[in-house]
Amino acid sequence: MVLTSGDLCSSHWLSLLGFPGAMLSEVLLVSAPGKVILHGEHAVVHGKVALAVALNLRTFLRLQPHSNGKVDLSLPNIGIKWAWDVARLQLLDTSFLEQGDVTTPTPELVEKLKEVAGLPDDCAVTESLAVLAFLYLYLSICRKQRALPSLDIAVWSELPHGAGLGSSAAYSVCLAAALLTVCEEIPNPLKDGDCVNRWTKEDLELINKWAFQGERVIHGNPSGVDNAVSTWGGALRYQQGKISSLKRPPALQILLTNTKVPRNTRTLVAGVRNRLLKFPEIVAPLLTSIDAISLECERVLGEMGEAPAPEQYLVLEELIDMNQHHLNALGVGHASLDQLCQVTRARGLHSKLTGAGGGGCGITLLKPGLEQPEVEATKQALTSCGFDCWETSIGAPGVSIHSATSLDSRVQQALDGL
C-alpha cells in the first residue's frame, strides 16, 4: 500500500476517532512522515555525506479544543492515555521555561517536567519521554495564551516504534505544528475546499525549531536530521551538522522491511570506529567510497527530478548493491539482512540496510512497471521469513494539514487496525 499526501484526507479517518462531523471546524488533522537513510549511514559519523529521505509511513495527530478544563493525551501505539487539569497547570511556576522564541530543554528542565507530569515511578522510558515531550511543547508554546487551552489530542502512527525510522521526530513535528496552529502562532493554511495543504517556508522553519526541541527532550542530543526530514519532506543532504534540501527529488516506490532483530546503534558505531583504527588503510577508503555513492545518488536523483529515465533506476540499483557490500565490510551487516537481500535478489530486486544495521530495517527499490503480483509475492516471501514488510514510497511530502472531505479506501485500510 502506497499513500500520498492526497490520500490522507478522509471522513473515515474522523469516524474512526468517534466524533461527529459537526465538530470538523474545530478539529486540526495533521500528519508527518518518517525517514530512512538512503545512503551514508555510518560514513556520516566520520564527516561524509548522508542522504535522508521522507518515508510515506506517517504519524497522524488529531487536535480538538474542548471546554472540560482538561488536557487529554492519547497515544494508542504505546498504550498511553493521560489527562491533566488545566487549572492546576495554570497555577504551576513555569518560569523554568525561559522567555524567548524557542526554549532549550536542559536536563534540569526535563527533571521539573517530570514533577509536573506526575508520572508513576514504574512508567517505562518510552512512555515517559513521549509524555514529557508533549508537556514541554504544550507548556512552552501555549504559555503566551492568556489561559492554557483545554485540548484533546490523539496521536497514532503507521511507523514501528524503535526501528530507526524517525517515529519520535514525526511525533514531535505533528505536536509542534498542531500546537503552533491552535495557538495562532502560525496560520492554518487549509482553505475551504482544500483536501490537504502545507505551511509556508517561514512557518515550517518555526515548526522544525520546536520539533527539534521536542526531540531533545526524547533523545538528549539528536542530529536534527529526523525532524528536518519530517518537517520538509522530500530528501535531505546531511554532512557535519549542515542540512540542505535536494531540489525536486522524485518519489521512489520501495518495500520497507523490518527484520525485527534488535540492535544497539552505539555498539555498531563503536565497532566501525574500532575497525577504522585497526585497519585505517582498508576502512578509510570504504568510507570515502560510501561518500562517493551518496554523491552519485544525489546527482542521479537531481536528474530524475528533471527528466526521469529507465537507465537511472539501473544506476540506483547498482549504488544500492555496492553500498550494502561496503556496509557488510564495515561489520554492520547481519544474517537477517543477508536473507532479506537474497530473497529480493532472487526476484531481480535490489536491497540494502537502512540506519544502524545489525538487524533493524532494509529498503528494496521497486522499479516502475513492476507488476503488482510480483510485488505481493516478494512481500509474502519476506513475511514468511518472520519480517514485517510495507509497500510505500520515499521522497514523501513533509508535515501537512488535512481536511476530512473525501474518502479514500487506502486510508481506510491504513487506519482500520487502529
Side-chain angles (χ1 to χ4, degrees):
M1 178 184 62
V2 180
L3 297 179
T4 66
S5 62
D7 298 327
L8 299 171
C9 38
S10 166
S11 56
H12 181 72
W13 201 38
L14 289 172
S15 68
L16 286 165
L17 297 169
F19 54 82
M23 300 294 288
L24 290 183
S25 62
E26 297 181 38
V27 174
L28 293 180
L29 300 172
V30 177
S31 77
K35 77 95 180 50
V36 294
I37 301 296
L38 190 54
H39 291 292
E41 46 270 277
H42 288 285
V44 71
V45 177
H46 301 275
K48 309 302 185 184
V49 170
L51 298 180
V53 289
L55 174 69
N56 210 20
L57 295 178
R58 302 181 77 87
T59 292
F60 305 90
L61 178 148
R62 179 214 66 192
L63 181 152
Q64 184 175 10
H66 53 54
S67 55
N68 68 355
K70 300 283 186 185
V71 180
D72 297 299
L73 178 67
S74 177
L75 308 175
N77 295 86
I78 57 173
I80 283 284
K81 196 166 183 63
W82 209 258
W84 295 269
D85 185 84
V86 170
R88 188 180 76 82
L89 292 177
Q90 194 78 49
L91 292 172
L92 288 171
D93 176 11
T94 56
S95 59
F96 62 90
L97 298 171
E98 303 165 9
Q99 297 303 311
D101 291 337
V102 178
T103 309
T104 300
T106 62
E108 294 77 18
L109 183 149
V110 173
E111 286 304 312
K112 289 184 178 179
L113 282 174
K114 288 179 181 177
E115 296 174 19
V116 172
L119 294 169
D121 293 337
D122 62 350
C123 187
V125 172
T126 298
E127 288 85 336
S128 172
L129 292 174
V131 170
L132 293 178
F134 165 73
L135 266 182
Y136 161 76
L137 290 170
Y138 171 76
L139 292 172
S140 298
I141 292 171
C142 300
R143 69 184 177 191
K144 296 178 183 177
Q145 307 295 303
R146 281 181 296 179
L148 291 171
S150 183
L151 304 171
D152 179 38
I153 293 177
V155 187
W156 65 102
S157 187
E158 297 173 313
L159 292 162
H161 172 73
L165 300 174
S167 60
S168 68
Y171 170 68
S172 293
V173 167
C174 281
L175 283 174
L179 291 169
L180 287 166
T181 302
V182 78
C183 291
E184 299 185 323
E185 294 290 323
I186 58 176
N188 184 339
L190 202 65
K191 304 293 186 285
D192 287 344
D194 284 350
C195 179
V196 61
N197 212 331
R198 303 197 63 219
W199 287 266
T200 64
K201 180 176 182 289
E202 183 180 1
D203 293 339
L204 288 171
E205 285 174 351
L206 186 59
I207 290 169
N208 189 46
K209 284 180 182 177
W210 277 111
F212 179 58
Q213 303 309 324
E215 276 280 84
R216 291 181 72 173
V217 172
I218 294 171
H219 292 297
N221 188 31
S223 68
V225 171
D226 288 12
N227 52 277
V229 171
S230 193
T231 299
W232 298 103
L236 299 181
R237 178 192 211 266
Y238 178 79
Q239 185 177 26
Q240 295 181 328
K242 295 180 181 178
I243 301 172
S244 57
S245 294
L246 275 63
K247 292 181 180 178
R248 294 189 298 277
L252 301 174
Q253 304 305 118
I254 65 161
L255 294 181
L256 173 74
T257 302
N258 185 3
T259 66
K260 298 189 282 188
V261 174
R263 73 277 182 274
N264 185 302
T265 300
R266 185 171 297 177
T267 301
L268 290 159
V269 169
V272 173
R273 188 177 300 279
N274 290 338
R275 189 165 285 197
L276 175 61
L277 292 171
K278 188 176 181 181
F279 305 110
E281 293 185 0
I282 299 170
V283 175
L286 285 173
L287 297 174
T288 300
S289 181
I290 290 173
D291 189 54
I293 288 170
S294 297
L295 294 173
E296 177 65 9
C297 182
E298 182 180 8
R299 185 192 68 77
V300 173
L301 292 177
E303 283 185 357
M304 294 176 81
E306 298 283 347
E311 56 268 22
Q312 293 159 342
Y313 280 89
L314 297 176
V315 176
L316 292 182
E317 289 176 339
E318 284 190 87
L319 296 176
I320 284 171
D321 290 343
M322 287 189 287
N323 200 356
Q324 178 61 20
H325 288 305
H326 284 3
L327 290 163
N328 275 330
L330 291 178
V332 297
H334 189 271
S336 62
L337 293 165
D338 292 341
Q339 187 177 16
L340 159 61
C341 292
Q342 289 163 6
V343 167
T344 56
R345 191 183 304 116
R347 290 161 173 78
L349 301 174
H350 301 257
S351 305
K352 67 175 285 290
L353 67 85
T354 180
C361 293
I363 54 173
T364 304
L365 183 64
L366 301 178
K367 287 191 294 190
L370 192 64
E371 297 291 335
Q372 193 60 32
E374 295 178 57
V375 176
E376 292 301 324
T378 305
K379 288 168 63 178
Q380 182 57 47
L382 291 167
T383 302
S384 68
C385 296
F387 305 153
D388 289 336
C389 190
W390 298 265
E391 182 183 351
T392 183
S393 63
I394 52 178
V399 63
S400 305
I401 189 163
H402 308 269
S403 72
T405 55
S406 66
L407 179 67
D408 188 284
S409 61
R410 287 175 291 182
V411 179
Q412 182 173 339
Q413 291 166 6
L415 299 175
D416 270 348
L418 297 177

